[in-house]
Amino acid sequence: LKQITNEMRGDVDFIFFQAGVDILDEDRLGRMDISQEGIRRRNEMVFQFASDLGCPLCITMGGGYPKSNWEPILNAHANVY
């Protein structure tokens, strides 16, 4: 990311982050098997990337299809913000 950040500095005006949580291991449609911690780390990397570029970030929610319990899905969405 550091190399990309250096190469893109000044060339990026705005970042859209579609913060899908269907990658969550507790999502019935997602197949990436990512933990809550993994999603938190992904979010942090995106936030840091935008910050390093000094670029505005628009975050949109996406995905989230519970197997039975909505709590993990809702927590993953809430943790984006």
Side-chain angles (χ1 to χ4, degrees):
L1 283 177
K2 287 182 182 183
Q3 180 180 353
I4 293 170
T5 302
N6 290 333
E7 290 174 6
M8 296 181 74
R9 192 173 309 282
D11 291 337
V12 179
D13 297 320
F14 198 80
I15 297 173
F16 284 95
F17 174 30
Q18 200 281 330
V21 299
D22 49 1
I23 62 174
L24 186 62
D25 54 4
E26 298 179 62
D27 187 282
R28 68 181 160 90
L29 297 182
R31 302 224 189 309
M32 293 189 71
D33 203 30
I34 305 296
S35 67
Q36 292 278 356
E37 176 62 17
I39 290 177
R40 188 199 63 74
R41 289 175 55 202
R42 175 210 57 188
N43 297 341
E44 185 59 38
M45 287 188 335
V46 172
F47 301 153
Q48 189 62 55
F49 180 69
S51 177
D52 289 348
L53 288 175
C55 188
L57 179 65
C58 173
I59 304 167
T60 61
M61 296 181 357
Y65 310 95
K67 294 176 183 175
S68 61
N69 182 3
W70 277 94
E71 189 172 350
I73 302 299
L74 296 173
N75 286 339
H77 277 301
N79 288 333
V80 172
Y81 302 95

